[in-house]
Amino acid sequence: MSEKFQVVIIGGGPGGYVCAIRLAQLGIKTACIESRGTLGGTCLNIGCIPSKSLLNLSESFQKAKELSKLGIEAGKVKLNLKKMMQNKDKAVTGLTKGIEFLFKKNKVTYFQGTGRFKSSNQISITDNKKKETIIETEKTVISTGSEPVSLPSIEFDEKIIVSSTGALSLKIVPKKMVVVGAGYIGLEMGSVWSRLGTEVHVVEFLDHITPGMDREISKEFMKILKKQGINFHLQTKVKSIKKKNKGAFVSTTNKDGKNINFDCDIVLMSVGRKPNTKNLNLEAIGVSLDDKKRVKTDKNFETSIKNIYAIGDVIKGPMLAHKAEEEGIAVAEIIAGQSGHVNYDIIPGVVYTSPEVASIGKTEEQLKESNKKYKVGKFSFTANSRAKALDETEGFVKILADEKTDKVLGAHMIGPHAGEMIAEMAIAMEFGASSEDIARTCHAHPTFSEAVKEAALSVDKRAIHS
Ligand SMILES: Cc1cc2nc3c(=O)[nH]c(=O)nc-3n(C[C@H](O)[C@H](O)[C@H](O)COP(=O)(O)OP(=O)(O)OC[C@H]3O[C@@H](n4cnc5c(N)ncnc54)[C@H](O)[C@@H]3O)c2cc1C
């Protein structure tokens, strides 16, 4: 007799594992199937966590080389890449094991293997020894995430032509790297290798980097990255990538039709990700996909088939771990008869470069496009005392507020710890704050977050320190 569950989750990433824990907390008999061998999905294994670890370690390396300028003379700084990678792996293992512990603590049954629908309430699990187990379920949540895509006829070998996964585990520091695509993943990984000594060239089809980001911020971001030594080739299209004995030859054309070619050791393709819907047998059970091959869901995350739900990267919306987690909690609560909800207007986005870039809500371009009347407040970190004291004065905070009601519509920042400071704006916006609410809130001195207060003051042209 096959084992029976009230809910089975396919995929143990931030969407799936969080959903499983919340369901178990709500007293629902839950199982989670994960094919990778470790829990935590893309985020913990080959995404957010290893990339942030390398970003942090490479930044420390960069800073250590410059310490003597600040009067700290600690001897010659040398890179031990193997050890750095071991440190990254340690962070990943600690966290993935931590989720296994949370599953045990919350009594979530964990199946290691690949899940596939046999019918709408029967799931087959094939483990790595090809042994099949069938389980029965009343409801299923698909949270199978996404995987990197390349350009037509350019295949990843994860040695020379790499996705972010390969770029997180290079064994030697490449001399020259071409990053195709100037989205946040390409820029984060480009920053890591640039700091470790690689000559990095970013090739981008559009005329700006980080599509979708507030344009003023993205311009400042590119200026800062250029100063750090990263080379940008905008409005430039990849024609072909040919692998050589060692490395690759990348041929591109720019907007004037000029050919620009690169002889490089590594090509990092970071042109996007696609939903992971293959091998689930979705067609056979009638689960519909949209035009981008994502699982179609209604406002309650239910697919075209009753009692089958989907969340995270495999459905529409930004491919972000915290969006997947919010959806995981919301769907668990909906399944339990509560009123789970995700506020898609207030999902922060962070790029973990140095300085960090963070944004939430509407960009100025979006407000213009929707003919919304708005006010802008800005404050530069050059006038922030903490930034001055730490000599980290690049960047600024920008707050957009409704012209009439003063309600905050968006916040965008580039600067030290922007990724932490955006949480203040998330809470403010969730509570429907006006820029005046933020301006009248006492912020500790000296902190970077005083720049947020000053930007809010600046919405009504009363910033004190500028
Ligand atoms: C380099 C990189 C850096 C990133 N950095 C950030 C960041 O800083 N912040 C952020 O918010 N987001 C970041 N992301 C994005 C983030 O990782 C994803 O948005 C997030 O992991 C999506 O969660 P998910 O649960 O939907 O899917 P995933 O994390 O992709 O998890 C899905 C899981 O399902 C498993 N699976 C698939 N099919 C099956 C099957 N048939 N049976 C069983 N298991 C299956 C997969 O093995 C996978 O483990 C980054 C991504 C990358 C690649």
Side-chain angles (χ1 to χ4, degrees):
M1 269 259 295
S2 43
E3 203 173 346
K4 285 194 177 136
F5 294 91
Q6 285 173 284
V7 182
V8 168
I9 294 149
I10 309 180
Y17 86 73
V18 167
C19 179
I21 292 172
R22 185 72 190 114
L23 282 163
Q25 284 176 347
L26 291 163
I28 291 171
K29 189 179 178 199
T30 306
C32 180
I33 310 167
E34 171 54 58
S35 57
R36 189 184 297 276
T38 50
L39 290 166
T42 303
C43 174
L44 264 63
N45 291 280
I46 49 166
C48 326
I49 300 306
S51 61
K52 265 80 262 182
S53 169
L54 288 185
L55 277 157
N56 178 54
L57 295 166
S58 60
E59 191 181 348
S60 299
F61 174 66
Q62 177 74 32
K63 279 188 174 156
K65 284 196 295 185
E66 290 161 7
L67 276 178
S68 61
K69 282 189 210 153
L70 305 174
I72 304 166
E73 307 210 349
K76 193 167 166 13
V77 178
K78 238 179 84 191
L79 173 69
N80 182 335
L81 185 62
K82 196 169 165 204
K83 217 169 188 171
M84 194 178 265
M85 290 293 174
Q86 282 167 353
N87 268 305
K88 171 208 71 173
D89 295 340
K90 196 171 114 198
V92 169
T93 311
L95 284 166
T96 56
K97 286 268 172 255
I99 298 169
E100 269 186 50
F101 164 78
L102 291 175
F103 269 14
K104 279 194 191 120
K105 184 179 152 198
N106 287 282
K107 301 195 174 44
V108 173
T109 306
Y110 169 28
F111 288 101
Q112 289 198 20
T114 303
R116 185 172 192 272
F117 286 96
K118 266 189 107 62
S119 68
S120 59
N121 53 9
Q122 267 195 331
I123 316 279
S124 131
I125 305 161
T126 310
D127 71 11
N128 59 7
K129 293 190 181 106
K130 304 261 180 282
K131 186 176 157 257
E132 192 188 23
T133 307
I134 304 212
I135 55 173
E136 290 192 23
T137 183
E138 290 166 24
K139 296 182 180 185
T140 308
V141 180
I142 303 167
S143 60
T144 46
S146 62
E147 58 184 11
V149 284
S150 187
L151 292 174
S153 75
I154 299 170
E155 277 176 28
F156 297 119
D157 63 5
E158 298 299 1
K159 287 193 174 82
I160 292 168
I161 302 179
V162 301
S163 69
S164 51
T165 308
L168 286 165
S169 294
L170 299 179
K171 300 236 170 357
I172 50 170
V173 178
K175 282 204 175 67
K176 196 164 175 175
M177 174 187 269
V178 172
V179 177
V180 182
Y184 81 94
I185 294 179
L187 298 179
E188 286 185 356
M189 294 317 302
S191 288
V192 165
W193 291 106
S194 165
R195 290 167 192 165
L196 299 181
T198 304
E199 179 184 321
V200 173
H201 291 263
V202 179
V203 175
E204 167 59 55
F205 181 67
L206 298 175
D207 65 354
H208 58 280
I209 65 167
T210 49
M213 187 182 277
D214 187 278
R215 216 42 103 72
E216 203 179 355
I217 297 275
S218 110
K219 268 191 199 149
E220 180 74 7
F221 187 26
M222 187 165 116
K223 209 168 88 194
I224 293 173
L225 291 177
K226 266 183 164 174
K227 233 168 77 189
Q228 293 175 2
I230 296 184
N231 305 283
F232 287 92
H233 308 272
L234 301 182
Q235 292 180 287
T236 301
K237 198 175 161 187
V238 171
K239 278 201 308 189
S240 65
I241 300 178
K242 296 221 162 55
K243 275 204 282 180
K244 304 184 308 175
N245 249 356
K246 267 186 169 182
F249 185 77
V250 182
S251 166
T252 71
T253 19
N254 71 10
K255 69 171 193 325
D256 306 318
K258 193 175 154 214
N259 285 338
I260 308 166
N261 301 324
F262 304 89
D263 247 323
C264 62
D265 309 276
I266 298 284
V267 184
L268 163 58
M269 299 297 297
S270 57
V271 292
R273 297 180 63 82
K274 65 171 183 209
N276 217 338
T277 49
K278 59 175 192 283
N279 303 330
L280 284 166
N281 207 20
L282 295 182
E283 308 76 25
I285 58 162
V287 170
S288 308
L289 304 183
D290 68 11
D291 53 344
K292 292 189 173 144
K293 303 265 179 261
R294 299 172 295 199
V295 177
K296 248 192 198 163
T297 50
D298 64 13
K299 64 177 187 350
N300 288 332
F301 307 99
E302 200 163 27
T303 67
S304 52
I305 299 297
K306 197 169 162 48
N307 291 333
I308 300 183
Y309 301 80
I311 54 165
D313 279 10
V314 82
I315 69 168
K316 69 174 191 295
M319 286 185 171
L320 291 170
H322 43 280
K323 176 259 190 189
E325 289 187 26
E326 290 302 314
E327 290 176 341
I329 289 178
V331 79
E333 293 178 351
I334 289 167
I335 288 172
Q338 301 182 353
S339 47
H341 171 73
V342 177
N343 184 353
Y344 289 100
D345 290 334
I346 309 182
I347 294 186
V350 178
V351 191
Y352 296 82
T353 42
S354 178
E356 291 178 348
V357 187
S359 58
I360 192 160
K362 299 281 185 254
T363 63
E364 209 171 335
E365 290 71 36
Q366 286 170 329
L367 293 177
K368 276 187 187 139
E369 209 178 282
S370 62
N371 289 324
K372 186 103 184 157
K373 296 256 184 300
Y374 62 92
K375 305 178 279 185
V376 187
K378 268 190 269 183
F379 191 79
S380 163
F381 282 101
T382 45
N384 172 270
S385 49
R386 182 72 180 274
K388 269 264 189 262
L390 273 71
D391 195 20
E392 291 186 39
T393 53
E394 279 177 320
F396 60 92
V397 178
K398 172 174 175 178
I399 292 178
L400 302 165
D402 188 285
E403 191 180 83
K404 261 201 196 132
T405 64
D406 192 36
K407 187 176 173 183
V408 176
L409 303 171
H412 309 277
M413 46 186 95
I414 177 164
H417 306 284
E420 297 296 332
M421 291 197 295
I422 203 70
E424 169 178 1
M425 295 312 300
I427 292 181
M429 288 175 75
E430 197 61 67
F431 280 84
S434 62
S435 76
E436 177 155 13
D437 289 327
I438 299 164
R440 290 195 184 276
T441 302
C442 183
H443 287 65
H445 175 77
T447 57
F448 295 118
S449 66
E450 283 175 291
V452 173
K453 179 189 167 98
E454 291 267 13
L457 280 165
S458 151
V459 169
D460 280 325
K461 306 200 174 8
R462 54 201 167 105
I464 300 296
H465 294 93
S466 71

